Amino acid sequence: MIIIGELINSSRKAIKAAIESKDAKAIQDVAVAETEAGANYIDVNAGTFVDKEIDYLKWLVEKVQEVTDTPCAIDSPDPKAIQAALEVHKGTAMINSISLEKERYENLLPIVRNTDLKIIALCMSDDGMPESVDDRLKIADKLINGLVQNNVKIENIFVDPLVQPMSVNNHFGVEFINSVEQIMARFPGIHTACGLSNISYGLPARKFLNQTFMVMAIAKGLDGAIVNPLDTEMMSRIVAAEALAGRDNFCMNYLKAFRAGTLG
Ligand code: THG
């Protein structure tokens, strides 16, 4: 499972304050903690700052890279912000994300063409949010074909089928996990990834829904997740579910987590 640490996001109060006061240490402590907890990528998002997003995103990348070799997942809907952050990023970043929305697609494609960047391909288009498996497959198909035709390797693509709140429609959960299953089956070599806390929006005891949904998605083949790596309950369930899904040779990762005392 590719873990993308979600904590450096300006929608979180402590991070917003640290960015505004240019408190590099506060950001760097989070980046180090996420790395030590097993993050493969550090998501950086300054999206709540409308005018200053570009400058703040660059600053986040620079500060994170001073303390860890874990690459960033550059999280913005704005192709200009992604481009600016990429210019200061060392090593191979992940882009979060391209979508089929015209403006985003046309401006990001030239940036990712012929590169080895990891790319989250979000199932969203100008027609609005996808709801059914079919909606998502149509968008995924166009995104994957477009990227591959532009010399992006299929194994560098992480399709995000887009999690929607089940408080709005109680079939959104099953449509999502069935999309994961179909995408993994139809495009051999591809990855899937998502931020899944949206599933529980508007409902109580969200962590139970989030954890259970993660396990269900892993059973269908989900192999990337934007999560809080410091959440040991969530991380334990991820390790257990991957072993149970037959994706942990000799249960090595499960046993390693047990020995490290991090299960539970
Ligand atoms: N797909 C992709 N990228 C994404 C998302 C996605 N990036 C943003 C988001 N969704 C995932 N990242 C976060 C980061 C932080 C939190 C949730 C998702 C978070 N939320 C707190 C909560 O839910 O309780 C509230 C904020 C707070 O702590 O104050 O922390 O879906 N490709």
Side-chain angles (χ1 to χ4, degrees):
M1 175 68 106
I2 303 289
I3 300 291
I4 303 157
E6 73 180 11
L7 291 175
I8 303 183
N9 188 311
S10 64
S11 71
R12 302 181 64 243
K13 276 190 201 124
I15 298 296
K16 180 172 187 277
I19 295 173
E20 277 173 331
S21 61
K22 292 278 163 98
D23 182 352
K25 183 164 187 303
I27 300 294
Q28 290 173 333
D29 286 350
V30 176
V32 169
E34 290 195 295
T35 298
E36 285 172 355
N40 303 106
Y41 292 88
I42 308 287
D43 195 89
V44 286
N45 182 316
T48 58
F49 298 103
V50 187
D51 295 331
K52 297 181 179 159
E53 184 191 1
I54 295 182
D55 281 348
Y56 286 166
L57 198 58
K58 281 165 63 181
W59 182 78
L60 285 175
V61 169
E62 285 167 351
K63 293 302 136 189
V64 166
Q65 293 211 302
E66 282 173 14
V67 293
T68 177
D69 292 332
T70 308
C72 292
I74 299 169
D75 189 352
S76 172
D78 178 2
K80 285 196 195 72
I82 289 182
Q83 182 161 28
L86 268 181
E87 280 164 14
V88 297
H89 187 279
K90 293 173 281 198
T92 310
M94 176 179 273
I95 287 190
N96 184 11
S97 51
I98 194 167
S99 76
L100 210 58
E101 293 154 287
K102 194 169 188 292
E103 149 96 33
R104 207 158 155 181
Y105 185 77
E106 287 180 355
N107 287 300
L108 279 173
L109 205 54
I111 296 173
V112 303
R113 178 179 292 151
N114 301 323
T115 71
D116 204 32
L117 294 165
K118 312 292 169 203
I119 303 160
I120 299 186
L122 186 64
C123 289
M124 198 140 87
S125 72
D126 290 319
D127 301 334
M129 303 276 219
E131 298 199 348
S132 65
V133 173
D134 230 45
D135 291 347
R136 290 177 167 94
L137 280 177
K138 282 189 186 127
I139 299 173
D141 188 61
K142 287 183 187 157
L143 280 169
I144 295 164
N145 282 323
L147 287 167
V148 169
Q149 278 162 18
N150 280 276
N151 202 21
V152 171
K153 291 193 203 77
I154 194 126
E155 57 268 27
N156 285 343
I157 304 173
F158 290 72
V159 177
D160 180 345
L162 193 69
V163 172
Q164 297 224 65
M166 71 169 181
S167 54
V168 173
N169 176 332
N170 94 308
H171 293 290
F172 278 168
V174 84
E175 294 293 328
F176 176 88
I177 60 172
N178 288 344
S179 301
V180 169
E181 183 175 43
Q182 292 281 325
I183 290 162
M184 294 302 262
R186 284 191 196 197
F187 306 98
I190 201 100
H191 297 288
T192 40
C194 67
L196 54 67
S197 58
N198 260 352
I199 194 65
S200 59
Y201 183 81
L203 289 164
R206 295 183 64 180
K207 72 172 194 170
F208 295 115
L209 293 169
N210 295 346
Q211 290 173 1
T212 307
F213 192 51
M214 176 66 87
V215 171
M216 292 168 70
I218 289 172
K220 298 279 197 177
L222 183 78
D223 65 352
I226 307 166
V227 288
N228 173 3
L230 307 186
D231 177 350
T232 50
E233 280 181 8
M234 176 61 94
M235 293 296 275
S236 298
R237 278 156 183 72
I238 291 173
V239 172
E242 285 234 286
L244 290 163
R247 301 207 300 265
D248 182 10
N249 267 341
F250 305 108
C251 305
M252 293 274 276
N253 290 331
Y254 182 78
L255 292 169
K256 206 171 109 192
F258 175 74
R259 288 195 204 102
T262 57
L263 279 184

